Amino acid sequence: MCVNPDWFIGVINNKSIHNYIYVNKIKGDGYCLFNAVIQSIQCQLPGFEWLTTDVLIQMVNTDIMNNIDTYFTFMHNMSRDEFLVMLNKYLKFGNFNSQLGDLMPEVIVNVLDTGLLIFDNHMTLSLSRTTIIESKSKTWLIIAKSGQHYDSLS
């Protein structure tokens, strides 16, 4: 059974919420955000069966390259060339970098056109410990984060 994001947002502060969701552990390989998104989206949002980790990574790369001036403004103390090298290392080899890692959820929201609800500590599921990234779309995807690691929710 999959969590329904619309229902979930409506009852997020209900203390019995743990009875309705399951945290699916994702391998910590540098691609945990992408894998958590893929596993969650295929469970939570119909119509994304075609989406794979490789396809999502390619979509993210294309979006960043098409909007590089916008995304580059979020990087601090690095040149454009350093940003491109870091992006290549992250997308091709999973070499996580916190600046780029902090930007990735925003990019994913842009490429998938869905809101993203990230629980910053999946042991305490409450709105006060949640990052909400809105999109123009009315759909939402829900994932979990602990430290710098992401897991999926179902």
Side-chain angles (χ1 to χ4, degrees):
M1 178 162 165
C2 296
V3 63
N4 178 320
D6 293 328
W7 167 85
F8 191 80
I9 290 170
V11 296
I12 201 165
N13 288 318
N14 181 334
K15 296 204 184 291
S16 65
I17 199 76
H18 293 283
N19 297 330
Y20 300 100
I21 62 165
Y22 181 76
V23 176
N24 303 295
K25 294 295 184 184
I26 299 292
K27 181 179 176 184
D29 61 358
Y31 296 109
C32 63
L33 171 60
F34 297 106
N35 292 324
V37 165
I38 294 300
Q39 195 172 94
S40 292
I41 203 167
Q42 291 181 349
C43 182
Q44 297 172 22
L45 299 176
F48 282 93
E49 295 80 13
W50 56 270
L51 189 61
T52 65
T53 300
D54 290 338
V55 170
L56 179 58
I57 288 171
Q58 183 59 46
M59 290 170 69
V60 163
N61 187 57
T62 299
D63 188 64
I64 290 175
M65 297 312 292
N66 288 341
N67 300 292
I68 194 162
D69 292 332
T70 300
Y71 289 126
F72 182 67
T73 62
F74 293 100
M75 299 295 108
H76 304 287
N77 301 319
M78 72 176 65
S79 69
R80 189 183 185 104
D81 288 341
E82 290 170 323
F83 172 67
L84 292 172
V85 167
M86 183 187 333
L87 177 65
N88 184 56
K89 287 181 179 180
Y90 182 53
L91 296 181
K92 287 191 178 178
F93 307 109
N95 291 358
F96 177 81
N97 173 283
S98 61
Q99 278 193 66
L100 196 54
D102 291 345
L103 181 62
M104 280 301 132
E106 298 281 351
V107 178
I108 289 171
V109 164
N110 290 338
V111 300
L112 296 179
D113 190 28
T114 184
L116 187 59
L117 188 64
I118 305 170
F119 284 101
D120 293 327
N121 180 345
H122 50 70
M123 299 309 289
T124 309
L125 296 176
S126 68
L127 199 52
S128 63
R129 293 193 174 274
T130 304
T131 301
I132 301 173
I133 304 172
E134 294 187 56
S135 77
K136 295 176 185 172
S137 168
K138 299 273 189 226
T139 60
W140 287 89
L141 178 64
I142 306 166
I143 61 176
K145 180 181 180 187
S146 182
Q148 293 184 345
H149 180 76
Y150 292 89
D151 290 310
S152 70
L153 294 177
S154 61

